[in-house]
Amino acid sequence: MEKTPAHHNKWISYKIPPDWDGKKVEEVLRGPLALSNRMINRLTRCRGIRLNGRMPWLGRRVKKGDRLRVAVRPLERSDLVPEPVPFGLLYEDADLMVVDKPAGVNVHPVHPGETGTLTHGILYHWQSQGFEGRVRPVHRLDRDTTGVLLIAKNAYMHQLLDRQLKNRSIGRIYLAIVQGRLTRETGAIRLPIGRDPTHPLRRRVAEDGAEAITLYRVLASTEQASLIEARLETGRTHQIRVHFAHLGHPLWGDRLYGGPGKLIGRHALHAERLSFTHPLKEEKMTFSAPPPQDFARLMEALGLRGNRPPAPTA
């Protein structure tokens, strides 16, 4: 598969190899190009598929050496008005970006008319580059969680990265400061999570909930608190917060789940590291962001110092 390097080039070109001779266009789109049914329908509507320069029927048979081109970066426009919302930029190319999200900012609007979100800030950043598109977060961070977040810049890239997320091949490492000293230095929390019927925002451990797995290790601890490194095997809403609160060790500052409210004005959770394979470059990529000042000050106030042994494994 040939990758198009130019920022404004929207097409990927695929030369039909001998082993795909005689296959249908639709089969090639689903196979080597890994397009979903939804993406194929979208491309068909916007005339974003070309076989040897012409729009083909999906049932047409291809021949060895034919050239199939797909508009994987179609022009898109967001309904939101760009705003200068600050964030850290760790990486960006024509198809994806990795950002360092600040505290107190929603990733995207959660109700009509909401402004000042990370999405607004990214759109403002893109506007300065002359780029238009829709912001497509690959995973989620709560409003008050800081750190590394992966963004797809088009639907095709989001589809490929979402597949990695579902296959658990995107690595996500968090730092958390929890109340008290844990009895085990390392562990795997395998407790399903569902909605709390008594509160519209809370989640809880529930037998009929969705599978949730958090691997952790203690980096430093006192009687008051522990600095935890947690790796997500699944990505349920509030997963780390719910799991540690259920164990009797809620996060510092997490008033929703009963954590100590002093010394920090939010829950002490930071997405420190992210790793994934770039779907088009086929390169392993790893990014990290240091904890923000309020997190570092809380560590200092609680006397937490941690070395960094190897990350936990399943």
Side-chain angles (χ1 to χ4, degrees):
M1 190 184 304
E2 298 174 10
K3 287 88 174 181
T4 52
H7 180 86
H8 294 291
N9 196 323
K10 308 179 192 66
W11 297 80
I12 276 184
S13 179
Y14 181 73
K15 185 177 180 179
I16 305 300
D19 55 336
W20 282 87
D21 184 90
K23 299 288 188 181
K24 296 178 182 179
V25 168
E26 190 171 14
E27 292 176 309
V28 179
L29 294 174
R30 288 201 181 97
L33 292 174
L35 295 176
S36 65
N37 290 339
R38 182 177 179 181
M39 188 72 181
I40 292 172
N41 290 336
R42 182 195 305 239
L43 290 169
T44 301
R45 289 195 302 270
C46 71
R47 302 180 63 83
I49 303 169
R50 296 286 188 275
L51 180 65
N52 300 326
R54 296 187 176 185
M55 184 75 182
W57 295 104
L58 295 180
R60 179 172 175 175
R61 303 283 177 176
V62 299
K63 299 177 182 178
K64 179 184 73 173
D66 281 351
R67 186 74 62 176
L68 187 64
R69 298 178 71 233
V70 177
V72 297
R73 302 180 198 134
L75 290 174
E76 296 181 300
R77 284 186 172 87
S78 173
D79 295 332
L80 302 179
V81 178
E83 293 179 59
V85 179
F87 64 91
L89 180 62
L90 303 178
Y91 174 82
E92 184 174 17
D93 62 24
D95 295 289
L96 61 85
M97 64 191 302
V98 183
V99 303
D100 184 3
K101 177 192 166 300
V105 175
N106 281 327
V107 172
H108 49 72
V110 295
H111 56 76
E114 181 180 353
T115 60
T117 72
L118 178 65
T119 293
H120 288 89
I122 291 173
L123 291 173
Y124 186 84
H125 165 73
W126 287 350
Q127 186 180 65
S128 70
Q129 300 176 323
F131 175 78
E132 281 189 296
R134 291 181 58 193
V135 179
R136 301 175 183 272
V138 178
H139 55 109
R140 294 173 296 181
L141 293 179
D142 296 336
R143 176 184 176 89
D144 285 331
T145 300
T146 56
V148 188
L149 181 67
L150 178 58
I151 305 290
K153 296 175 69 173
N154 56 70
Y156 180 61
M157 181 58 59
H158 186 271
Q159 173 191 299
L160 297 180
L161 290 170
D162 185 64
R163 186 170 300 170
Q164 289 188 36
L165 187 68
K166 290 176 179 176
N167 292 339
R168 301 182 182 179
S169 56
I170 293 182
R172 290 171 290 167
I173 302 291
Y174 291 74
L175 294 179
I177 300 175
V178 305
Q179 184 177 20
R181 189 192 298 271
L182 276 73
T183 57
R184 296 179 58 189
E185 293 292 307
T186 63
I189 308 171
R190 294 182 171 89
L191 296 170
I193 292 176
R195 291 184 176 275
D196 187 335
T198 67
H199 195 288
L201 299 180
R202 259 196 318 252
R203 301 297 191 271
R204 63 170 184 168
V205 169
E207 289 185 5
D208 60 348
E211 179 189 33
I213 303 172
T214 305
L215 307 179
Y216 76 88
R217 58 179 177 153
V218 177
L219 300 180
S221 63
T222 66
E223 291 302 317
Q224 273 189 300
S226 298
L227 175 64
I228 301 297
E229 183 178 88
R231 191 180 87 191
L232 290 182
E233 291 289 286
T234 56
R236 308 304 170 203
T237 301
H238 300 175
Q239 180 172 315
I240 293 173
R241 300 164 64 188
V242 172
H243 272 170
F244 283 99
H246 184 80
L247 296 181
H249 300 281
L251 273 61
W252 275 74
D254 196 348
R255 294 176 177 84
L256 186 61
Y257 293 102
K262 59 182 180 179
L263 301 180
I264 189 170
R266 64 179 180 95
H267 56 254
L269 184 62
H270 174 69
E272 185 195 33
R273 275 176 280 165
L274 177 78
S275 60
F276 61 95
T277 299
H278 195 297
L280 298 186
K281 297 182 179 180
E282 298 176 357
E283 297 175 1
K284 185 75 171 181
M285 309 187 85
T286 300
F287 299 93
S288 61
Q293 290 185 356
D294 62 346
F295 194 103
R297 285 195 298 266
L298 180 61
M299 287 178 57
E300 180 78 22
L302 295 172
L304 296 172
R305 294 287 183 273
N307 58 4
R308 305 309 299 269
T313 57

